[in-house]
Amino acid sequence: MQTVLPFLELRLFFRDREPQQPFPVTVDELAGIWHCTPRYVKLIVRALCEQGWIDWQPGRGRGNKSKLTLVLDSDELLLEEVRRRTEQGEVHEAMELMNRFGGPAVKDRFMDWISEGIGFSTAGVPDSPQETLCMPIFRSITTLDPGLVYYAFDCHMARQLFNTLVEYDEEQRLVIPCIAHSWESSADAREWTFYLRKNVLFHHGRELTAEDVMFTLNRLRHDPGRYDSGWMFRDIEQMDAPDRKTVVFRLREPNYLFLRFLCTIAAAIVPEDVVRRDEAAFAEMPVGTGPFRVVSRNQGRCVLEAFPAHFRGRAHLDRVEVLIFPPEESGRLKEPDWTSIMTSHGETSGARREALVSGGGGWRNMETIFNCSSMLVFNQRKKGPHNHPLFREALHHIIDREALIADLKGERLCPAQGFHPHEDMGERAGNYYPVKGRSEIETLLKQSGYAGEAVELVTYSYHEEDARWIQDRARTFGVYIEIRVRNAEEWSDRASLQRYDCQLYGIVLGGDEVRELEVYLQNNFFAALWDNATEEIVRLETAAILREPVEAARKERFAGLERWVRQTHAVMFLVHKKSNTAFHQSVRGVKINSYGLVDFHHIWFNAGTAVSN
């Protein structure tokens, strides 16, 4: 019988009773506390007595109450139980128990215990240590199927598990070989041939073949309703595999970004046999060719181990443990004074990072500005005041980006005019957001016909603070915004999101042309909310971008499309955000990717300066 929970419930209900002091109680009272029958109460009482946690003296005779003595310190029992659950990966359950039954003192002890395990550690025999990186995150992992990933951290994790035919090197701004060791294309960019490396193994031991490549892309392009990235490959007219190590693509139209499409995580090559056998199980425990493989995963923990047979060589780290905490626990972990890595873009407080970096002791700080822009996206397919251009223009002027940044601080870096922070850095809001006075804004609202209707805004917890600020600000102008906060799983349900007037979220581009196209063309971004006229303009302009062989010319077209969207206020850019990474001097190979996260494959530790636990 599980006795920990009944004892904790008992101790919580009688929290005013002193330990070791007997007090009167009836079986019926205990039945009410435990929500069970009197018969079952007696079984629980017997079990608790056998554990030595309580003492029970039954009342003699009708009307005489029994006497209960609480023997055990519930804090110690609670701490033991939540530690046990955390070690088993039941992080959410452990936090629920702690938040329900624990006081401030025992919560601090628990968080101290967790913090001691965060960072780099070694275990095993001295001449063969196992190097482990343990890191916390404060959001769930929704899926690890590369064809379905949407959130930045899910994409980051999938990058550790899978490889693509080719990769885009962001520093060199070049496409480089990966699974394909070389390739060639026709002059008109309609035929592409890729030559695969030999002995590229999946985690389950089978060698990757051209059939896996064709299966991967076919499942994306043949089911665009399920795989949002399928639009990238809809122009494939024919695929052939002349042999097991060669794949030929023929396209309907020239596409000078096709090579870049094949660099995206959605195009990561998956094993046909595993996916066909059980696609849902594959999304939970995927099998790829990447430098790490998943060895265990549940709601509270995801454990990766180095894949020794990786075709680019084994990773330096042996193991990565990702502890998944509820968002509300963000900022409560205490960083230890030994080797660790922490990347933050909204997952930890600025004060915590500052305390970490200023602590000295060999810590280094790396701050990067990555292309994360928060924005309001209006649902043009739904009728309402939000769809009047003058209403959107009025709301645009109501939202003072400088004031939002000053009030909320954190990772908010500067007002956003578009997707690219480097273009906006050094500018101030007054330069490209001319401030209209109250009377001008009220005139716009009146001309739009706004009559006090509620505008429904949907967002998720990470952006809730910004949404509340906008709500309060708009109310001072008589504009009423109702906020709905949805979790990651609900946010992936596009049909339900289309009930709302506007959406507030952030987008990470990383200076990537393909990601910028995704924003315009994928249903999980803007495309599902365009009206017919906007959809046609976007379709024509993005088609012209794909047919343009010169990158500078493509960039001009992207800028023009962004200007048009901004002028119509169909998308209202808010602020850019920054990324901070703090790491110990013993950590080498720290490389921040375009998601603002650290690639595990590159990390290694200098044993001479690292401190193991």
Side-chain angles (χ1 to χ4, degrees), residues 75 78-80 82-83 92-103 105-111 332:
D75 281 358
L78 174 62
L79 198 56
E80 181 181 339
V82 295
R83 284 176 175 173
H92 283 243
E93 294 84 349
M95 294 307 305
E96 286 174 3
L97 277 180
M98 182 57 69
N99 289 330
R100 181 181 175 189
F101 296 110
V106 71
K107 284 182 181 178
D108 285 345
R109 290 176 62 192
F110 176 57
M111 299 312 287
R332 289 186 56 185

Side-chain angles (χ1 to χ4, degrees), residues 215-235:
F215 170 79
T216 296
L217 298 185
N218 276 330
R219 79 168 185 148
L220 298 178
R221 70 192 189 100
H222 290 161
D223 193 359
R226 174 170 171 75
Y227 301 101
D228 291 307
S229 299
W231 65 270
M232 296 183 192
F233 308 106
R234 63 192 175 197
D235 284 342

Side-chain angles (χ1 to χ4, degrees), residues 104-400:
V106 71
K107 284 182 181 178
D108 285 345
R109 290 176 62 192
F110 176 57
M111 299 312 287
D112 286 346
W113 175 78
I114 290 181
S115 296
E116 289 174 0
I118 299 299
F120 172 67
S121 65
T122 60
V125 296
D127 60 343
S128 182
Q130 183 182 63
E131 298 181 346
T132 298
L133 177 66
C134 182
M135 61 180 292
I137 64 168
F138 300 91
R139 60 185 65 188
S140 61
I141 297 175
T142 306
T143 181
L144 291 175
D145 184 334
L148 296 173
V149 291
Y150 173 66
Y151 297 102
F153 191 77
D154 292 5
C155 293
H156 172 68
M157 291 291 286
R159 284 282 185 193
Q160 318 306 309
L161 307 173
F162 295 91
N163 293 112
T164 46
L165 281 178
V166 288
E167 284 183 354
Y168 183 64
D169 187 306
E170 294 170 4
E171 294 180 357
Q172 299 183 64
R173 298 182 64 82
L174 292 174
V175 175
I176 61 175
C178 190
I179 289 173
H181 63 81
S182 60
W183 62 89
E184 54 196 33
S185 66
S186 61
D188 65 356
R190 289 189 58 197
E191 182 167 301
W192 298 78
T193 303
F194 293 86
Y195 304 99
L196 311 185
R197 296 177 191 265
K198 295 179 180 179
N199 204 36
V200 175
L201 299 181
F202 287 108
H203 297 154
H204 66 319
R206 182 174 66 76
E207 186 176 9
L208 181 148
T209 71
E211 295 296 326
D212 295 301
V213 175
M214 293 198 297
F215 170 79
T216 296
L217 298 185
N218 276 330
R219 79 168 185 148
L220 298 178
R221 70 192 189 100
H222 290 161
D223 193 359
R226 174 170 171 75
Y227 301 101
D228 291 307
S229 299
W231 65 270
M232 296 183 192
F233 308 106
R234 63 192 175 197
D235 284 342
I236 295 177
E237 189 173 50
Q238 186 178 349
M239 278 191 290
D240 292 309
D243 56 59
R244 296 179 75 251
K245 294 298 177 183
T246 307
V247 185
V248 180
F249 301 96
R250 294 180 180 85
L251 310 182
R252 294 184 181 88
E253 300 287 343
N255 186 338
Y256 289 93
L257 284 177
F258 184 68
L259 199 60
R260 293 290 307 283
F261 288 170
L262 294 172
C263 299
T264 63
I265 187 59
I269 308 306
V270 301
E272 180 177 5
D273 54 335
V274 175
V275 177
R276 285 193 184 278
R277 184 166 59 245
D278 191 336
E279 194 167 12
F282 168 78
E284 285 294 315
M285 294 288 290
V287 174
T289 62
F292 289 88
R293 60 189 182 92
V294 181
V295 294
S296 67
R297 180 186 171 202
N298 58 30
Q299 188 183 21
R301 184 172 62 175
C302 181
V303 180
L304 313 182
E305 287 185 355
F307 180 44
H310 190 244
F311 62 92
R312 283 179 166 169
R314 189 190 188 283
H316 300 292
L317 278 176
D318 296 299
R319 183 179 175 95
V320 177
E321 295 185 10
V322 178
L323 297 181
I324 305 166
F325 291 89
E328 56 270 20
E329 303 301 329
S330 176
R332 289 186 56 185
L333 287 181
K334 299 176 182 178
E335 283 296 325
D337 60 2
W338 43 265
T339 308
S340 180
I341 293 178
M342 175 59 60
T343 299
S344 168
H345 49 92
E347 295 187 0
T348 55
S349 68
R352 175 166 167 263
R353 289 197 316 276
E354 182 62 31
L356 174 60
V357 174
S358 63
W363 287 90
R364 298 172 179 172
N365 186 42
M366 178 186 294
E367 180 175 295
T368 59
I369 300 165
F370 65 107
N371 293 10
C372 178
S373 307
S374 61
M375 60 197 67
L376 282 174
V377 184
F378 292 91
N379 186 354
Q380 297 175 328
R381 297 180 184 269
K382 183 184 176 188
K383 293 181 179 180
H386 68 284
N387 253 332
H388 198 291
L390 293 180
F391 175 85
R392 294 205 296 261
E393 184 180 352
L395 186 59
H396 165 69
H397 289 290
I398 287 171
I399 301 172
D400 183 338

